[in-house]
Amino acid sequence: MNGKKGSVEINIPSAGTTKIKVQQPGSGKSSGGDGDFSIKAWVWKVWEFAREDSNRVKFSFKVGLAVLLVSLLILFRAPYEIFGTNIIWSILTVAVMFEYTVGATFNRGFNRALGSLLAGILAIAVAQFALSTGRVAEPIIIGISIFLIGAVTSFMKLWPSLVPYEYGFRVILFTYCLIIVSGYRMGNPIRTSMDRLYSIAIGGFVAVLVNVLVFPIWAGEQLHKELVNSFNSLADSLEECVKKYLEDDGLDHPDFTKTLMDEFPDEPAYKKCKNTLNSSAKLESLSISAKWEPPHGRFRHFFYPWSKYVKVGAVLRYCAYEVMALHGVLHSEIQAPYNLRITFQSEIQEVTSQAAELVRNLGKDIGNMKRSVKTCLLKRLHSSTERLQGSIDMHSYLLTTASCDPPENSKPFPKLFELSNDQQADAESESNHDLEKDSDLTTPKTFSGTLPPEFAAQAESYHETVRKQSRRLHSWPSREVDAFEEEGGLGVDSLPRMRALESTAALSLATFTSLLIEFVARLDHLAEAVDELSKLAKFKHEGLLVQPSF
């Protein structure tokens, strides 16, 4: 019955095995053999999820405890005889009001209390007015009031300034509808409204009490830790990206068209930096919740500047954009030759290490709630950046006439400052003279006379060595080079096109260094934002903090 719907497939193995596999139609897995393994894998995944953040277990325990406490009012006969079936509203209140953090619970409780109170008052007033109009007009008035309340609350919760109170308008809607309809059927709207308001108050009180007294999870502490971790993630991602860029020789460079940037397993810090870019909504939510919390722990004064944490996070994301752009250059198809990258290795590493050190120190100051002097670090960083800029400017000819050595040759290019003073002056003058006269792209320019013979030979064999490296992934674009080979070699007409393509590959190094310099420039704004936060939050002072002036 193979190929027909509803068939049962029986695989009879060869002698020596007696397993019979029965597969039911529509099932993706066999009926036996994998159950225990799947359960073990699922249990292990749950264990890892709980161990990653112990607060998740604490939150679950607190919710269960709060629901149990309000359920006792129904399980025991005495409170049930007092409140009756309306005590169910206590369980409903705990279920919808209990949030992960204390601040979020206070915020949700405020919206719940205010919405229920307004809904109860409106329900009582409308019910009394409808009752006085007679039995015929009473249901009409109640129906019209339900329509108006639903339309007004739904419109008001969309108002931009009232979006934080969206839950309160929702509470007004369903509480008003339930109270006035049940009161109409039961014939006593005032008693119904008061019983349900009492039940809501009991549920809200239990939810707040349990959340504050039993393993409290403060939104302010969560916001503080989240911001500090973002600083460390940014520094780690920067160092990881620069390290791979300087160590990658291009031989095993992955094909970007087949490998997505999110799937690089050897870059764990990249994903953390990406999470920093996506943390805007989380920081904003934690900041709103933290404003509802009373002074606690290390945050012991009123009106703590939680909004400044969001501002620092925004400036930090402003810096993280540059790091993500550096990762983009690292995994781009246009790659500078390896020996050109390591020519500026010392300057790039120096800037990177000092920038990462500054970012970590800023995060450490926020984590320890202390203010320390950052002028020296900023001056050192700016000095290193100026040296990198000067080196790129002095040796810019390497970015336009760079020589691609064969794969076995990975030595950096010689720099002008490695020559004598006379040779350096002659080389600079000749380089400027060549750039002014370089109008014919069919004839490659080379340095002669004052430059070492080794460098002159490298410049003369530039296009020849590129052709030999056509199979290397960082010789971009490989398809263009292969096409030139199929045509029978590099002709005179193809030289301008080849020089343009190869110059673009060399200029990717200039792109990488310019992004790194821009990252350093943005660190000034980050230092200013952290300093402003430390002043408003009254961090412990560790010395005179001098504002940098560059």
Side-chain angles (χ1 to χ4, degrees):
M1 298 177 64
N2 190 15
K4 296 183 179 180
K5 185 176 180 181
S7 61
V8 178
E9 180 183 354
I10 302 178
N11 296 326
I12 303 178
S14 58
T17 59
T18 57
K19 181 185 289 187
I20 297 178
K21 179 180 179 182
V22 179
Q23 185 173 359
Q24 297 294 337
S27 62
K29 296 181 181 180
S30 59
S31 58
D34 295 335
D36 296 338
F37 176 80
S38 299
I39 293 177
K40 290 181 180 179
W42 180 79
V43 171
W44 177 255
K45 186 180 296 185
V46 172
W47 170 256
E48 289 293 332
F49 180 76
R51 191 176 62 175
E52 183 181 356
D53 187 1
S54 60
N55 288 332
R56 296 165 179 168
V57 180
K58 296 177 182 178
F59 170 71
S60 304
F61 170 78
K62 292 193 298 182
V63 173
L65 178 61
V67 174
L68 173 61
L69 292 177
V70 294
S71 298
L72 294 178
L73 299 177
I74 300 177
L75 298 178
F76 291 131
R77 181 177 298 274
Y80 181 76
E81 292 178 352
I82 297 176
F83 297 101
T85 57
N86 290 320
I87 201 62
I88 298 295
W89 283 68
S90 297
I91 301 178
L92 178 63
T93 301
V94 171
V96 300
M97 179 179 163
F98 208 102
E99 291 291 332
Y100 187 75
T101 61
V102 175
T105 302
F106 273 108
N107 186 9
R108 184 63 67 93
F110 172 79
N111 282 273
R112 176 74 174 174
L114 184 60
S116 299
L117 182 62
L118 292 177
I121 294 175
L122 287 174
I124 293 175
V126 172
Q128 291 294 338
F129 174 75
L131 186 62
S132 62
T133 58
R135 301 297 298 176
V136 177
E138 182 180 2
I140 299 176
I141 294 177
I142 291 177
I144 294 175
S145 67
I146 292 176
F147 170 78
L148 293 176
I149 291 296
V152 171
T153 54
S154 298
F155 178 80
M156 293 302 295
K157 71 180 182 180
L158 298 178
W159 196 266
S161 59
L162 298 178
V163 169
Y165 308 101
E166 182 268 342
Y167 175 72
F169 289 105
R170 195 186 310 168
V171 169
I172 293 176
L173 176 59
F174 73 75
T175 302
Y176 175 84
C177 294
L178 292 177
I179 288 178
I180 198 168
V181 171
S182 60
Y184 170 76
R185 285 303 178 186
M186 297 175 67
N188 193 351
I190 298 180
R191 177 59 185 271
T192 303
S193 301
M194 296 303 298
D195 289 345
R196 294 191 176 183
L197 289 178
Y198 288 150
S199 301
I200 293 173
I202 293 174
F205 178 77
V206 172
V208 171
L209 194 66
V210 172
N211 209 340
V212 173
L213 299 182
V214 182
F215 303 123
I217 303 174
W218 302 100
E221 191 69 28
Q222 294 285 325
L223 176 61
H224 192 82
K225 292 180 179 179
E226 185 73 20
L227 187 62
V228 174
N229 292 335
S230 297
F231 275 86
N232 296 328
S233 299
L234 181 64
D236 294 341
S237 182
L238 175 65
E239 290 182 333
E240 179 184 75
C241 177
V242 174
K243 180 181 178 182
K244 287 183 65 64
Y245 186 77
L246 296 176
E247 291 181 353
D248 184 16
D249 58 0
L251 293 176
D252 56 350
H253 198 276
D255 189 358
F256 184 78
T257 59
K258 297 180 180 179
T259 306
L260 298 177
M261 293 190 68
D262 295 341
E263 298 177 355
F264 292 116
D266 56 343
E267 297 182 24
Y270 167 79
K271 295 183 178 180
K272 294 181 180 179
C273 185
K274 184 179 177 182
N275 294 334
T276 301
L277 294 177
N278 299 330
S279 63
S280 176
K282 184 176 182 179
L283 293 180
E284 184 70 27
S285 177
L286 289 174
S287 175
I288 295 175
S289 300
K291 293 178 181 179
W292 290 90
E293 295 177 347
H296 60 277
R298 296 184 295 175
F299 317 102
R300 297 181 179 177
H301 58 272
F302 291 93
F303 307 108
Y304 195 83
W306 297 114
S307 59
K308 295 301 178 182
Y309 278 79
V310 180
K311 181 179 179 181
V312 174
V315 180
L316 190 65
R317 290 193 303 274
Y318 186 65
C319 299
Y321 288 134
E322 294 298 324
V323 178
M324 297 296 289
L326 290 173
H327 277 277
V329 176
L330 172 63
H331 296 291
S332 63
E333 293 190 19
I334 306 175
Q335 292 292 328
Y338 174 63
N339 49 2
L340 181 59
R341 278 179 276 170
I342 63 175
T343 302
F344 304 95
Q345 180 177 9
S346 59
E347 293 88 348
I348 294 176
Q349 285 181 339
E350 183 180 6
V351 173
T352 302
S353 60
Q354 293 180 5
E357 181 184 3
L358 176 61
V359 172
R360 287 195 178 94
N361 276 273
L362 292 174
K364 184 178 180 181
D365 287 348
I366 296 178
N368 297 331
M369 302 185 70
K370 296 180 180 179
R371 296 175 59 192
S372 60
V373 178
K374 291 293 178 293
T375 305
C376 296
L377 291 177
L378 282 171
K379 286 184 176 180
R380 286 169 48 197
L381 177 59
H382 280 260
S383 299
S384 301
T385 306
E386 290 174 0
R387 285 194 293 271
L388 175 60
Q389 287 178 310
S391 179
I392 293 293
D393 181 63
M394 182 178 297
H395 306 93
S396 58
Y397 61 89
L398 295 177
L399 303 178
T400 55
T401 59
S403 174
C404 293
D405 294 337
E408 62 270 13
N409 187 2
S410 61
K411 295 182 180 179
F413 292 126
K415 295 183 179 180
L416 289 179
F417 54 76
E418 296 174 349
L419 309 176
S420 62
N421 294 332
D422 296 337
Q423 290 176 335
Q424 178 175 341
D426 294 339
E428 288 180 347
S429 61
E430 186 171 352
S431 175
N432 295 332
H433 180 67
D434 287 342
L435 290 176
E436 293 175 359
K437 297 175 60 180
D438 192 11
S439 60
D440 185 7
L441 296 177
T442 61
T443 304
K445 303 297 181 183
T446 59
F447 296 100
S448 61
T450 57
L451 290 181
E454 179 183 0
F455 184 74
Q458 291 176 354
E460 292 174 357
S461 61
Y462 175 52
H463 298 293
E464 181 66 22
T465 53
V466 169
R467 188 185 64 82
K468 295 179 180 180
Q469 298 178 69
S470 61
R471 294 300 178 185
R472 296 186 62 183
L473 290 176
H474 68 271
S475 288
W476 178 87
S478 58
R479 291 186 295 273
E480 296 288 347
V481 177
D482 292 340
F484 285 124
E485 283 188 348
E486 293 176 359
E487 293 174 1
L490 297 175
V492 177
D493 297 337
S494 65
L495 286 178
R497 186 180 182 186
M498 284 298 300
R499 292 194 65 189
L501 296 176
E502 294 154 2
S503 178
T504 302
L507 286 176
S508 64
L509 175 63
T511 303
F512 189 87
T513 54
S514 64
L515 290 173
L516 182 60
I517 294 172
E518 175 64 20
F519 175 80
V520 173
R522 297 187 179 191
L523 290 183
D524 290 341
H525 303 286
L526 183 62
E528 293 175 0
V530 173
D531 182 56
E532 182 181 1
L533 171 63
S534 63
K535 290 179 180 178
L536 295 177
K538 300 178 181 180
F539 286 174
K540 184 178 179 181
H541 194 62
E542 287 191 347
L544 183 60
L545 183 65
V546 182
Q547 290 290 341
S549 59
F550 297 100

